[in-house]
Amino acid sequence: MFNKGFKCTAVVRRLIPWIVLTKVMLVLYCLTATRQVNISPTQEKTCPLSVAKTSPGDITGSPDSKQDCSPKVNIMFMKTHKTASSTILNILYRFGEKHKLRFALPDRRNDFCYPQPFLCSQVKDYRPGECFNIVCNHMRFNYQEVSKLLPPNALYVTILRDPVDLFESAFHYYQKIIPLTWSISGNNKLTEFLNNPEAFYSPEAINSFYLKNLLFFDFGFDNNLKVNDPRVMKEIQYVSKRFHLVLIAEYFEESLILLKDLLCWSMEDILYFKLNVRRTSSVSRLDPETRAKALQWNWADWKLYEHFNATFWERVEAYGRTRMERDVKELKRRNAEMRATCIEGGDAVEAQRIKDTHFKPWQPIGEKSIMGYNLRNDINPERRSICAKMLTPEIQYLSDLGVNLWVTRLWGWLKDYIL
């Protein structure tokens, strides 16, 4: 009896900080939620092409692109969760900053009030009728509102990942902010969850959206649609109509080449280092049976991925397999050169070994599983700036772009020093 009472007390004590944290974050949410600005839904009256910046004169297109191709600067990148989207974000930040483009940035935090549907009023210093070039931070997609920020010729791009691997990553990263998972026993909570997901899941529960069809939720859809619900295909067709290009995380270099081609950018514009990557030892290796359960549980996401994986390879075929292989090889060569130039030791290191806090990535609660980089000390001054920008995580880059992230930083302090 004594042992049971002791265990119960210990569990309650562990839950108290979470209960307090939840209340604090709800208060912060109320403080940071912005009212919707009433503006005309007609896109021409909100951001007409005639007043938008379309192609700065100092940008030159890709040398192997069509002669009539001019670099594109009006871009909406739908940043999905746990899909290598942070690396794409860094590419967009660097391009936009280099060419003095205008970003629609979040205010006081690093996302647009996620998981609330996106509203124009969530944009930092927004005024009705203003035009922006790039929208790229986390949001719950809402086309009617996003389209008010961009000119009609804007290109819409997003990225998907195999839903089973995405589910594993999201479960690992977010489980400590999902109360539904706290009662799962055993060392392998993910497997226990998938053995009987309905026992640990409720659509109305706090942060439950991280546990099921997270891609569908990010796009603004109902993530609780049943298997074979016809609305799933309807929503997939909606994404197909709205987005000009859907990248696939498992084929990242090929995706970047297609993005470069769509935007008429140069190879230099798409060079990258992998950001926000977990150390290998923290990744759960799922057996075939568990993977099948995860796929069934995330059926809507699987159908979404299946559809756009097929259209992705149609785009590759249209681009040309031989040409794609050549360009991917060149991209890898250029990336290897930058790694040797910029990164101390040439590769990512664990968080504890990162020397400069400016390059330390955001970590999940109670862990240091996200890796980062150390900048070499002997870099040529001409290369030092671009190297540093390529290594800079999202939070620090947003601060560099002028966003006051006091809500995000307070949350970071709570998770690192209180919990």
Side-chain angles (χ1 to χ4, degrees):
M1 180 68 71
F2 174 79
N3 288 337
K4 289 183 178 178
F6 177 81
K7 289 180 180 179
C8 181
T9 302
V11 170
V12 171
R13 284 176 178 171
R14 287 200 299 270
L15 289 178
I16 287 174
W18 292 102
I19 296 169
V20 173
L21 177 62
T22 300
K23 291 183 179 295
V24 169
M25 295 310 295
L26 286 173
V27 171
L28 288 176
Y29 173 76
C30 293
L31 289 173
T32 59
T34 51
R35 66 180 180 84
Q36 183 175 4
V37 180
N38 292 321
I39 59 179
S40 168
T42 306
Q43 189 180 50
E44 288 73 19
K45 292 184 180 180
T46 56
C47 181
L49 184 60
S50 60
V51 300
K53 189 174 187 178
T54 56
S55 183
D58 62 339
I59 305 181
T60 56
S62 173
D64 61 347
S65 299
K66 301 184 293 260
Q67 290 187 355
D68 61 348
C69 175
S70 59
K72 307 302 188 296
V73 299
N74 298 316
I75 305 157
M76 192 283 156
F77 175 61
M78 175 56 202
K79 188 178 189 297
T80 48
H81 285 83
K82 316 314 295 177
T83 57
S85 61
S86 293
T87 302
I88 302 288
L89 195 71
N90 184 272
I91 291 172
L92 293 170
Y93 281 163
R94 286 186 279 120
F95 184 88
E97 190 178 23
K98 177 181 178 180
H99 298 292
K100 299 179 173 57
L101 303 180
R102 192 173 186 204
F103 290 96
L105 297 170
D107 193 17
R108 293 169 283 187
R109 46 193 284 177
N110 62 306
D111 59 50
F112 292 109
C113 293
Y114 187 89
Q116 282 241 4
F118 176 77
L119 298 174
C120 290
S121 56
Q122 296 161 358
V123 174
K124 181 177 180 291
D125 301 326
Y126 174 71
R127 297 291 181 274
E130 288 185 301
C131 283
F132 298 87
N133 297 113
I134 299 176
V135 184
C136 57
N137 289 90
H138 273 310
M139 67 167 67
R140 191 165 187 217
F141 188 63
N142 179 357
Y143 176 79
Q144 286 69 26
E145 288 288 308
V146 171
S147 63
K148 296 173 183 177
L149 303 174
L150 297 161
N153 70 343
L155 295 171
Y156 287 66
V157 179
T158 190
I159 185 168
L160 305 180
R161 181 184 181 187
D162 183 308
V164 175
D165 297 324
L166 186 152
F167 174 78
E168 184 279 328
S169 180
F171 192 96
H172 169 87
Y173 195 90
Y174 297 113
Q175 62 174 305
K176 291 184 179 177
I177 62 168
I178 308 173
L180 290 170
T181 67
W182 297 349
S183 62
I184 303 176
S185 60
N187 294 327
N188 194 336
K189 288 192 172 188
L190 186 148
T191 299
E192 288 299 317
F193 176 88
L194 289 173
N195 284 339
N196 188 13
E198 298 293 350
F200 304 107
Y201 181 78
S202 171
E204 296 79 22
I206 296 172
N207 292 335
S208 66
F209 52 86
Y210 286 122
L211 292 174
K212 186 172 187 178
N213 293 314
L214 182 54
L215 289 172
F216 237 60
F217 186 86
D218 281 351
F219 282 106
F221 306 140
D222 182 355
N223 63 317
N224 293 293
L225 297 179
K226 301 296 184 182
V227 172
N228 295 323
D229 190 312
R231 287 174 291 178
V232 170
M233 292 309 301
K234 179 181 178 182
E235 306 294 26
I236 291 171
Q237 291 303 318
Y238 178 86
V239 174
S240 184
K241 291 177 182 178
R242 292 300 184 201
F243 285 83
H244 299 85
L245 177 63
V246 178
L247 313 176
I248 300 295
E250 285 76 15
Y251 306 100
F252 196 72
E253 283 90 1
E254 291 87 348
S255 292
L256 288 181
I257 296 301
L258 291 181
L259 180 66
K260 167 182 161 303
D261 186 60
L262 175 70
L263 301 179
C264 195
W265 287 6
S266 68
M267 189 70 76
E268 181 178 356
D269 295 325
I270 61 168
L271 298 180
Y272 72 95
F273 300 135
K274 292 181 179 179
L275 300 178
N276 208 33
V277 176
R278 289 160 63 193
R279 65 172 182 266
T280 305
S281 61
S282 71
V283 179
S284 300
R285 303 301 176 188
L286 307 183
D287 59 47
E289 181 182 356
T290 305
R291 291 188 67 86
K293 291 177 180 178
L295 189 149
Q296 184 75 2
W297 178 247
N298 294 279
W299 186 82
D301 274 5
W302 170 247
K303 299 307 291 183
L304 181 75
Y305 179 84
E306 185 180 52
H307 175 88
F308 285 106
N309 185 49
T311 62
F312 176 85
W313 289 106
E314 290 172 5
R315 298 285 286 260
V316 171
E317 291 293 338
Y319 187 84
R321 289 273 185 168
T322 301
R323 181 184 173 202
M324 176 62 75
E325 291 172 3
R326 179 200 69 197
D327 288 352
V328 166
K329 183 178 180 180
E330 175 63 11
L331 175 59
K332 289 181 176 180
R333 185 190 70 80
R334 295 281 297 274
N335 274 335
E337 286 183 352
M338 291 303 292
R339 280 197 302 273
T341 298
C342 302
I343 301 173
E344 183 179 285
D347 212 343
V349 297
E350 295 200 9
Q352 299 89 329
R353 296 174 56 197
I354 301 172
K355 301 170 185 177
D356 190 336
T357 57
H358 189 71
F359 301 127
K360 286 189 174 183
W362 185 270
Q363 299 289 341
I365 293 174
E367 295 191 26
K368 298 291 183 183
S369 58
I370 306 301
M371 303 180 73
Y373 302 92
N374 287 313
L375 186 68
R376 287 184 57 160
N377 293 321
D378 58 348
I379 302 174
N380 184 309
E382 295 179 359
R383 283 290 194 176
R384 190 169 190 83
S385 177
I386 182 60
C387 285
K389 290 180 186 299
M390 290 180 71
L391 299 181
T392 301
E394 174 186 349
I395 303 297
Q396 291 90 323
Y397 214 131
L398 270 174
S399 293
D400 292 345
L401 291 174
V403 179
N404 181 357
L405 296 168
W406 72 266
V407 172
T408 297
R409 295 196 183 283
L410 177 57
W411 163 238
W413 179 81
L414 286 168
K415 76 177 181 66
D416 291 339
Y417 296 103
I418 301 299
L419 301 177

